[in-house]
Amino acid sequence: MASKLPIECLRRIFEELTKSDLTVDPFTHNDAIVYSNLNYLYSCVLVNRTWCNTAIPLLWKDPLHWLSIKDDDFIKQVVVPWKDQLRFHVPFTYAKSEKLPLLISTYFACLPEKSRRSLKTNKAFKLPEDIIETTTFYDYPFFLRRLNLPTLVNAVSMWTQQHHSTDEPLDEDTESEDVLSADVLTEKLIKLFMEKSTNLEYLSYIKLPVSLHNDVGHIKINIAGFPGSKIALANITSFHFNACAIKKPENYYVSLSRICHSIRNLEIRCLCNDSKGLAALIGSQRGLVKLLIHGANYYYGIHNGYIPKYSYRYITKALYNKVSDLTYLNFQCNGIPLETFASCTKLEQLILHANYYQNADKFIKSDFSHLKSLLIKDGSFLINHQTNIIQNSGGYISEIVNSMNEPRDPDNLTKFYETVIDFCPRLTILEYYICKDQISLIPILFNKCNQLRKLALHSTDMQTETVEINDVLSKMGEEIPEQLRMIEIPWHFKFSADSLESFLKGCQRRLKEPLQFEPSISTDEQKEILDRYIDIGVLKKNLNFFYL
């Protein structure tokens, strides 16, 4: 029966196994869903020739990325951020993958015979004849869709160490091809990819979240200068780079600006200087959709505040004309005024973590009618500014997270919670500061935001005295949203055994699934209540209670 399925149906089914979570957040550089499904795709290769021919192109579209991950149970247990709109922090286990040299051996076999034999004569290599003679059944470089250059350099380095000639010591100071075997092979492989990989979609100069075998310094190779690059790079839609990792970046940016015009996802890290070349690359794009830009967060102190150490006049001008279609913005760059993004009326996800914001007033008054997620990772972006953004939203916000530093304007916390209650009926995740004056608003929040699934409340350093919440906790049980799965309250918010019992009775009546609730408790009676509600399935098992 399996052999009778049309090839197009097989391809669609197999593509589901490799559907990437990077399409949601292309800047995570984690592909946990795909990792857990690759074994199934490998099994498909063994069924018959048709299945093999259909699965192989999918397995080889991003091998450098996938083989950089240690294949063990820890990976398969990962719950991806944004999946089901829940955010869990699960440690990934990465390793120096021993499979990467095998991958390079396969790509080496795809090189023209003349290139393979020229490397055999290189003094730095010690290659047996069987490696030179090996050929492949498939043209594997043709299937490549995603190219991560630091990982390629690292993989080639691992491979060359395995095949390094012990008769010829490496001279780190020389520029001769006779000894720089890794550079020689890397250039030959990039040339191969530029000639064969005509459907590249993703190009990255950023290290994957793996423990690299060797530190990858500056990438010296300008791939835009290779024969075939005008075709191979023409369809790049996702470009990621660390400005400090590219040697002579200006020439590289200019070369890319003449070839790549369809970049939708652009990630810029470690941007320490303004750049006419990068401005040209940004200006040559037809439709940026997702942008991550992290500059150097340095600034000079002045009498009335701060001024950024770096200015990005050319880049700012280029961005100003190209950001109107953004749906995702991750911003951490003091030298670019926030008003540059005032025209981003299609934003769905906004992440801010600079430590200084120029000209924020025009930005916060913009139209945020499509906004779904607001993540603030620095206390420098005022609560009042966040409140303005929420007020200008269209009621679609499902996530609000403020995860870093102390707020600079805690007096606006009450206004913030009142705004969330009025403008966020679809809220599912709220992680935010709270003081004693706002805790009474939580039952109202539960009533108005009845789709809430996670509530994490954090106290500020200015509020550490004990706060009694007996009445509030009981009311929270009466209004608790049916879909709530997790709740965290500050350690100094205290309650009696009776109020805890009342809260958990409300949870028992209203909740559809067990609640993760790990309060700070002070009596054995409170612990007995918690244990009882764990036993009857109201609370999740294996919770940690904190005695004070």
Side-chain angles (χ1 to χ4, degrees):
M1 181 65 181
S3 61
K4 295 181 180 180
L5 283 173
I7 292 178
E8 181 62 21
C9 290
L10 280 177
R11 186 177 64 82
R12 293 289 184 91
I13 293 170
F14 293 165
E15 283 178 347
E16 287 297 313
L17 295 176
T18 60
K19 184 173 289 185
S20 174
D21 53 300
L22 299 182
T23 57
V24 179
D25 188 346
F27 310 122
T28 64
H29 303 289
N30 295 326
D31 228 344
I33 293 176
V34 174
Y35 302 143
S36 63
N37 289 335
L38 284 181
N39 286 337
Y40 301 124
L41 200 55
Y42 282 124
S43 299
C44 295
V45 171
L46 306 176
V47 174
N48 57 40
R49 179 171 294 184
T50 300
W51 281 47
C52 180
N53 290 338
T54 308
I56 283 291
L58 297 175
L59 283 170
W60 282 84
K61 70 179 184 179
D62 191 14
L64 284 164
H65 191 173
W66 295 341
L67 292 181
S68 299
I69 303 301
K70 185 176 180 180
D71 183 17
D72 60 21
D73 290 338
F74 289 100
I75 294 300
K76 296 176 184 178
Q77 292 172 6
V78 166
V79 180
V80 181
W82 304 96
K83 183 174 174 58
D84 296 328
Q85 296 185 340
L86 288 175
R87 180 178 295 273
F88 296 97
H89 299 283
V90 181
F92 282 73
T93 302
Y94 296 109
K96 303 170 185 176
S97 175
E98 300 303 322
K99 297 178 181 178
L100 285 174
L102 297 176
L103 175 65
I104 298 303
S105 292
T106 302
Y107 280 138
F108 182 87
C110 296
L111 288 169
E113 183 178 357
K114 183 178 179 180
S115 294
R116 299 200 303 272
R117 293 203 173 276
S118 68
L119 288 170
K120 181 175 173 60
T121 62
N122 190 296
K123 296 179 182 180
F125 286 102
K126 187 176 183 180
L127 299 176
E129 189 65 26
D130 61 330
I131 292 182
I132 301 298
E133 297 294 336
T134 299
T135 58
T136 62
F137 182 78
Y138 291 101
D139 185 8
Y140 294 109
F142 177 76
F143 304 136
L144 191 66
R145 297 292 182 272
R146 296 164 58 91
L147 177 58
N148 183 290
L149 285 171
T151 306
L152 176 65
V153 172
N154 177 66
V156 170
S157 177
M158 295 170 66
W159 187 90
T160 54
Q161 287 181 23
Q162 291 182 1
H163 298 286
H164 173 241
S165 173
T166 56
D167 299 329
E168 294 289 339
L170 289 176
D171 181 359
E172 295 181 354
D173 298 325
T174 183
E175 295 294 329
S176 171
E177 285 193 356
D178 288 340
V179 293
L180 292 178
S181 55
D183 285 354
V184 173
L185 180 55
T186 301
E187 287 194 18
K188 288 186 179 295
L189 290 179
I190 291 177
K191 181 180 179 182
L192 176 70
F193 294 148
M194 293 301 97
E195 293 174 350
K196 299 279 189 175
S197 308
T198 57
N199 295 301
L200 280 175
E201 301 168 352
Y202 174 104
L203 177 63
S204 177
Y205 278 80
I206 294 178
K207 294 179 183 179
L208 292 172
V210 298
S211 178
L212 291 178
H213 189 78
N214 295 302
D215 183 32
V216 178
H218 285 84
I219 303 292
K220 304 175 184 178
I221 302 170
N222 181 356
I223 68 172
F226 282 80
S229 61
K230 291 183 179 180
I231 296 176
L233 303 178
N235 297 317
I236 293 291
T237 58
S238 201
F239 182 45
H240 311 256
F241 69 94
N242 184 326
C244 296
I246 303 175
K247 192 172 184 178
K248 297 181 179 179
E250 281 297 299
N251 295 336
Y252 185 52
Y253 298 147
V254 172
S255 298
L256 284 179
S257 70
R258 296 167 181 165
I259 300 172
C260 306
H261 302 135
S262 302
I263 296 174
R264 295 171 61 82
N265 306 323
L266 179 60
E267 177 174 7
I268 308 170
R269 294 187 182 271
C270 199
L271 184 62
C272 299
N273 297 288
D274 198 11
S275 167
K276 290 183 179 180
L278 181 55
L281 177 61
I282 293 171
S284 66
Q285 303 313 308
R286 299 190 184 100
L288 286 177
V289 176
K290 298 186 179 183
L291 173 67
L292 181 152
I293 183 164
H294 287 190
N297 271 341
Y298 302 117
Y299 47 82
Y300 295 116
I302 57 176
H303 181 67
N304 293 319
Y306 302 100
I307 59 174
K309 184 175 181 179
Y310 298 108
S311 174
Y312 304 94
R313 180 164 60 94
Y314 297 114
I315 294 174
T316 298
K317 184 178 180 180
L319 286 171
Y320 187 84
N321 297 315
K322 292 293 178 178
V323 297
S324 59
D325 290 329
L326 287 184
T327 62
Y328 174 111
L329 174 62
N330 186 324
F331 179 78
Q332 180 184 331
C333 192
N334 294 340
I336 297 178
L338 199 53
E339 68 177 2
T340 305
F341 305 98
S343 63
C344 298
T345 59
K346 300 177 183 179
L347 277 180
E348 297 179 6
Q349 185 174 354
L350 176 61
I351 303 172
L352 299 174
H353 48 126
N355 51 27
Y356 171 72
Y357 297 92
Q358 296 187 61
N359 304 349
D361 289 345
K362 186 175 180 180
F363 175 75
I364 64 175
K365 296 176 182 178
S366 303
D367 178 5
F368 295 97
S369 58
H370 295 86
L371 192 65
K372 297 178 181 178
S373 178
L374 176 62
L375 280 70
I376 308 298
K377 297 187 176 182
D378 193 279
S380 298
F381 195 70
L382 299 178
I383 294 175
N384 188 49
H385 289 167
Q386 299 166 48
T387 300
N388 272 273
I389 289 175
I390 296 170
Q391 289 173 339
N392 292 330
S393 69
Y396 294 102
I397 294 179
S398 62
E399 178 181 35
I400 301 174
V401 175
N402 194 324
S403 59
M404 296 290 288
N405 296 340
E406 285 287 302
R408 289 172 53 193
D409 55 337
D411 292 344
N412 285 314
L413 276 172
T414 298
K415 180 182 178 183
F416 168 82
Y417 278 94
E418 291 173 345
T419 302
V420 170
I421 289 169
D422 291 338
F423 290 89
C424 301
R426 305 185 185 188
L427 193 67
T428 61
I429 297 174
L430 178 61
E431 299 180 28
Y432 217 82
Y433 302 105
I434 195 165
C435 293
K436 62 181 180 180
D437 296 333
Q438 295 85 46
I439 190 65
S440 61
L441 296 173
I442 299 302
I444 304 174
L445 177 76
F446 280 174
N447 179 271
K448 297 294 185 179
C449 304
N450 54 24
Q451 299 180 34
L452 201 64
R453 298 171 66 91
K454 178 181 178 180
L455 176 66
L457 303 174
H458 309 295
S459 60
T460 69
D461 289 342
M462 295 172 286
Q463 173 89 47
T464 57
E465 73 271 15
T466 299
V467 178
E468 183 269 312
I469 60 168
N470 290 330
D471 293 340
V472 172
L473 190 63
S474 298
K475 293 178 181 178
M476 286 168 59
E478 296 172 2
E479 301 289 349
I480 191 165
E482 294 180 351
Q483 301 181 55
L484 195 68
R485 299 292 175 266
M486 180 189 298
I487 183 170
E488 298 176 7
I489 58 176
W491 62 270
H492 56 88
F493 282 26
K494 303 299 181 183
F495 45 83
S496 66
D498 289 341
S499 62
L500 177 61
E501 179 85 40
S502 176
F503 169 72
L504 293 176
K505 283 182 178 179
C507 293
Q508 184 178 13
R509 288 192 304 269
R510 297 177 61 85
L511 293 182
K512 294 183 177 180
E513 293 184 17
L515 177 69
Q516 182 175 335
F517 178 53
E518 301 179 6
S520 301
I521 58 177
S522 56
T523 68
D524 290 337
E525 184 180 3
Q526 290 174 327
K527 184 179 184 305
E528 290 174 0
I529 294 172
L530 291 170
D531 288 339
R532 177 155 41 88
Y533 279 91
I534 289 175
D535 291 338
I536 62 177
V538 175
L539 298 178
K540 285 187 176 180
K541 296 181 180 179
N542 303 320
L543 298 183
N544 296 315
F545 308 132
F546 300 96
Y547 273 95
L548 295 176

PDB file of all heavy atoms in Angstrom, residues 40 42 76 79 117 147 151 169 180 216 240 282 332 343 360 409 458:
ATOM      1  N   TYR A  40      12.551   9.201  12.378  1.00  0.00           N
ATOM      2  CA  TYR A  40      11.442   8.669  11.579  1.00  0.00           C
ATOM      3  C   TYR A  40      11.751   8.827  10.083  1.00  0.00           C
ATOM      4  O   TYR A  40      11.458   7.941   9.274  1.00  0.00           O
ATOM      5  CB  TYR A  40      10.139   9.384  11.913  1.00  0.00           C
ATOM      6  CG  TYR A  40       9.728   9.268  13.356  1.00  0.00           C
ATOM      7  CD1 TYR A  40       9.503  10.396  14.136  1.00  0.00           C
ATOM      8  CD2 TYR A  40       9.555   8.014  13.957  1.00  0.00           C
ATOM      9  CE1 TYR A  40       9.126  10.295  15.465  1.00  0.00           C
ATOM     10  CE2 TYR A  40       9.178   7.909  15.284  1.00  0.00           C
ATOM     11  CZ  TYR A  40       8.966   9.046  16.028  1.00  0.00           C
ATOM     12  OH  TYR A  40       8.594   8.934  17.335  1.00  0.00           O
ATOM     13  N   TYR A  42      14.740   9.016   8.738  1.00  0.00           N
ATOM     14  CA  TYR A  42      15.786   8.049   8.392  1.00  0.00           C
ATOM     15  C   TYR A  42      15.172   6.676   8.104  1.00  0.00           C
ATOM     16  O   TYR A  42      15.580   5.967   7.186  1.00  0.00           O
ATOM     17  CB  TYR A  42      16.792   7.916   9.533  1.00  0.00           C
ATOM     18  CG  TYR A  42      17.788   9.036   9.612  1.00  0.00           C
ATOM     19  CD1 TYR A  42      17.941   9.782  10.780  1.00  0.00           C
ATOM     20  CD2 TYR A  42      18.588   9.360   8.524  1.00  0.00           C
ATOM     21  CE1 TYR A  42      18.857  10.813  10.859  1.00  0.00           C
ATOM     22  CE2 TYR A  42      19.510  10.392   8.594  1.00  0.00           C
ATOM     23  CZ  TYR A  42      19.634  11.117   9.768  1.00  0.00           C
ATOM     24  OH  TYR A  42      20.541  12.141   9.837  1.00  0.00           O
ATOM     25  N   LYS A  76      14.692  14.953  22.697  1.00  0.00           N
ATOM     26  CA  LYS A  76      13.336  14.550  22.339  1.00  0.00           C
ATOM     27  C   LYS A  76      12.308  15.032  23.367  1.00  0.00           C
ATOM     28  O   LYS A  76      11.132  15.101  23.092  1.00  0.00           O
ATOM     29  CB  LYS A  76      13.276  13.028  22.201  1.00  0.00           C
ATOM     30  CG  LYS A  76      14.153  12.513  21.060  1.00  0.00           C
ATOM     31  CD  LYS A  76      14.157  11.003  20.987  1.00  0.00           C
ATOM     32  CE  LYS A  76      15.102  10.524  19.903  1.00  0.00           C
ATOM     33  NZ  LYS A  76      15.174   9.058  19.828  1.00  0.00           N
ATOM     34  N   VAL A  79      10.323  20.854  25.070  1.00  0.00           N
ATOM     35  CA  VAL A  79       9.089  21.526  24.682  1.00  0.00           C
ATOM     36  C   VAL A  79       9.481  22.880  24.114  1.00  0.00           C
ATOM     37  O   VAL A  79      10.132  23.676  24.771  1.00  0.00           O
ATOM     38  CB  VAL A  79       8.148  21.706  25.890  1.00  0.00           C
ATOM     39  CG1 VAL A  79       6.869  22.413  25.453  1.00  0.00           C
ATOM     40  CG2 VAL A  79       7.838  20.355  26.502  1.00  0.00           C
ATOM     41  N   ARG A 117      41.927  15.290  -6.021  1.00  0.00           N
ATOM     42  CA  ARG A 117      43.325  14.875  -6.208  1.00  0.00           C
ATOM     43  C   ARG A 117      44.294  16.019  -5.901  1.00  0.00           C
ATOM     44  O   ARG A 117      45.404  15.790  -5.419  1.00  0.00           O
ATOM     45  CB  ARG A 117      43.541  14.367  -7.625  1.00  0.00           C
ATOM     46  CG  ARG A 117      42.789  13.064  -7.898  1.00  0.00           C
ATOM     47  CD  ARG A 117      43.373  12.267  -9.030  1.00  0.00           C
ATOM     48  NE  ARG A 117      42.705  10.970  -9.118  1.00  0.00           N
ATOM     49  CZ  ARG A 117      43.040   9.911  -8.390  1.00  0.00           C
ATOM     50  NH1 ARG A 117      44.039  10.002  -7.515  1.00  0.00           N
ATOM     51  NH2 ARG A 117      42.393   8.777  -8.529  1.00  0.00           N
ATOM     52  N   LEU A 147      22.706  27.099   5.054  1.00  0.00           N
ATOM     53  CA  LEU A 147      24.155  27.044   5.189  1.00  0.00           C
ATOM     54  C   LEU A 147      24.593  27.906   6.365  1.00  0.00           C
ATOM     55  O   LEU A 147      24.368  29.116   6.380  1.00  0.00           O
ATOM     56  CB  LEU A 147      24.826  27.535   3.895  1.00  0.00           C
ATOM     57  CG  LEU A 147      26.362  27.603   3.895  1.00  0.00           C
ATOM     58  CD1 LEU A 147      26.967  26.236   4.199  1.00  0.00           C
ATOM     59  CD2 LEU A 147      26.863  28.146   2.562  1.00  0.00           C
ATOM     60  N   THR A 151      29.631  26.726  11.445  1.00  0.00           N
ATOM     61  CA  THR A 151      29.555  25.287  11.645  1.00  0.00           C
ATOM     62  C   THR A 151      30.306  24.544  10.549  1.00  0.00           C
ATOM     63  O   THR A 151      30.960  23.529  10.803  1.00  0.00           O
ATOM     64  CB  THR A 151      28.082  24.827  11.673  1.00  0.00           C
ATOM     65  OG1 THR A 151      27.381  25.587  12.653  1.00  0.00           O
ATOM     66  CG2 THR A 151      27.984  23.358  12.046  1.00  0.00           C
ATOM     67  N   PRO A 169      54.317  19.536   9.879  1.00  0.00           N
ATOM     68  CA  PRO A 169      53.713  20.320  10.965  1.00  0.00           C
ATOM     69  C   PRO A 169      53.006  21.555  10.433  1.00  0.00           C
ATOM     70  O   PRO A 169      53.428  22.147   9.437  1.00  0.00           O
ATOM     71  CB  PRO A 169      54.925  20.712  11.827  1.00  0.00           C
ATOM     72  CG  PRO A 169      56.081  20.699  10.884  1.00  0.00           C
ATOM     73  CD  PRO A 169      55.786  19.591   9.897  1.00  0.00           C
ATOM     74  N   LEU A 180      47.600  25.408   5.161  1.00  0.00           N
ATOM     75  CA  LEU A 180      46.301  25.810   5.688  1.00  0.00           C
ATOM     76  C   LEU A 180      45.212  24.925   5.077  1.00  0.00           C
ATOM     77  O   LEU A 180      44.391  25.366   4.292  1.00  0.00           O
ATOM     78  CB  LEU A 180      46.044  27.299   5.397  1.00  0.00           C
ATOM     79  CG  LEU A 180      46.954  28.262   6.155  1.00  0.00           C
ATOM     80  CD1 LEU A 180      46.645  29.695   5.764  1.00  0.00           C
ATOM     81  CD2 LEU A 180      46.806  28.084   7.653  1.00  0.00           C
ATOM     82  N   VAL A 216      35.753  29.597  16.256  1.00  0.00           N
ATOM     83  CA  VAL A 216      35.757  30.129  14.893  1.00  0.00           C
ATOM     84  C   VAL A 216      35.937  31.630  14.981  1.00  0.00           C
ATOM     85  O   VAL A 216      35.078  32.337  15.486  1.00  0.00           O
ATOM     86  CB  VAL A 216      34.439  29.778  14.167  1.00  0.00           C
ATOM     87  CG1 VAL A 216      34.438  30.381  12.775  1.00  0.00           C
ATOM     88  CG2 VAL A 216      34.261  28.280  14.113  1.00  0.00           C
ATOM     89  N   HIS A 240      21.536  35.747   8.623  1.00  0.00           N
ATOM     90  CA  HIS A 240      21.887  35.922  10.030  1.00  0.00           C
ATOM     91  C   HIS A 240      23.397  36.121  10.128  1.00  0.00           C
ATOM     92  O   HIS A 240      24.155  35.320   9.586  1.00  0.00           O
ATOM     93  CB  HIS A 240      21.490  34.684  10.839  1.00  0.00           C
ATOM     94  CG  HIS A 240      20.080  34.237  10.583  1.00  0.00           C
ATOM     95  ND1 HIS A 240      19.048  34.469  11.466  1.00  0.00           N
ATOM     96  CD2 HIS A 240      19.526  33.581   9.530  1.00  0.00           C
ATOM     97  CE1 HIS A 240      17.924  33.976  10.965  1.00  0.00           C
ATOM     98  NE2 HIS A 240      18.185  33.434   9.796  1.00  0.00           N
ATOM     99  N   ILE A 282      20.416  46.486   3.445  1.00  0.00           N
ATOM    100  CA  ILE A 282      19.060  46.672   3.968  1.00  0.00           C
ATOM    101  C   ILE A 282      18.184  47.361   2.925  1.00  0.00           C
ATOM    102  O   ILE A 282      17.044  46.970   2.676  1.00  0.00           O
ATOM    103  CB  ILE A 282      19.103  47.482   5.281  1.00  0.00           C
ATOM    104  CG1 ILE A 282      19.795  46.683   6.383  1.00  0.00           C
ATOM    105  CG2 ILE A 282      17.686  47.876   5.716  1.00  0.00           C
ATOM    106  CD1 ILE A 282      20.077  47.488   7.636  1.00  0.00           C
ATOM    107  N   GLN A 332      17.736  45.784  20.252  1.00  0.00           N
ATOM    108  CA  GLN A 332      18.681  46.092  21.322  1.00  0.00           C
ATOM    109  C   GLN A 332      19.835  46.888  20.725  1.00  0.00           C
ATOM    110  O   GLN A 332      20.883  46.357  20.412  1.00  0.00           O
ATOM    111  CB  GLN A 332      19.228  44.813  21.972  1.00  0.00           C
ATOM    112  CG  GLN A 332      20.220  45.076  23.106  1.00  0.00           C
ATOM    113  CD  GLN A 332      20.808  43.806  23.664  1.00  0.00           C
ATOM    114  OE1 GLN A 332      20.166  42.768  23.642  1.00  0.00           O
ATOM    115  NE2 GLN A 332      22.023  43.867  24.168  1.00  0.00           N
ATOM    116  N   SER A 343       6.579  53.282  11.980  1.00  0.00           N
ATOM    117  CA  SER A 343       5.696  52.890  10.874  1.00  0.00           C
ATOM    118  C   SER A 343       5.379  51.393  10.875  1.00  0.00           C
ATOM    119  O   SER A 343       4.698  50.903   9.970  1.00  0.00           O
ATOM    120  CB  SER A 343       6.336  53.263   9.532  1.00  0.00           C
ATOM    121  OG  SER A 343       7.546  52.544   9.329  1.00  0.00           O
ATOM    122  N   ALA A 360      11.451  57.590  22.094  1.00  0.00           N
ATOM    123  CA  ALA A 360      10.464  56.513  22.201  1.00  0.00           C
ATOM    124  C   ALA A 360       9.031  57.011  22.065  1.00  0.00           C
ATOM    125  O   ALA A 360       8.132  56.225  21.749  1.00  0.00           O
ATOM    126  CB  ALA A 360      10.624  55.797  23.542  1.00  0.00           C
ATOM    127  N   ASP A 409       9.772  52.982  36.823  1.00  0.00           N
ATOM    128  CA  ASP A 409       8.597  53.752  37.248  1.00  0.00           C
ATOM    129  C   ASP A 409       7.557  52.828  37.882  1.00  0.00           C
ATOM    130  O   ASP A 409       6.451  52.657  37.333  1.00  0.00           O
ATOM    131  CB  ASP A 409       8.001  54.515  36.066  1.00  0.00           C
ATOM    132  CG  ASP A 409       7.663  53.610  34.893  1.00  0.00           C
ATOM    133  OD1 ASP A 409       8.246  52.513  34.790  1.00  0.00           O
ATOM    134  OD2 ASP A 409       6.785  53.989  34.086  1.00  0.00           O
ATOM    135  N   HIS A 458       6.199  38.747  40.004  1.00  0.00           N
ATOM    136  CA  HIS A 458       7.497  38.948  40.636  1.00  0.00           C
ATOM    137  C   HIS A 458       7.475  40.247  41.424  1.00  0.00           C
ATOM    138  O   HIS A 458       6.904  41.247  40.983  1.00  0.00           O
ATOM    139  CB  HIS A 458       8.609  39.018  39.588  1.00  0.00           C
ATOM    140  CG  HIS A 458       8.579  37.884  38.617  1.00  0.00           C
ATOM    141  ND1 HIS A 458       8.807  36.587  38.990  1.00  0.00           N
ATOM    142  CD2 HIS A 458       8.323  37.858  37.281  1.00  0.00           C
ATOM    143  CE1 HIS A 458       8.717  35.803  37.928  1.00  0.00           C
ATOM    144  NE2 HIS A 458       8.409  36.542  36.879  1.00  0.00           N
TER     145      HIS A 458
END
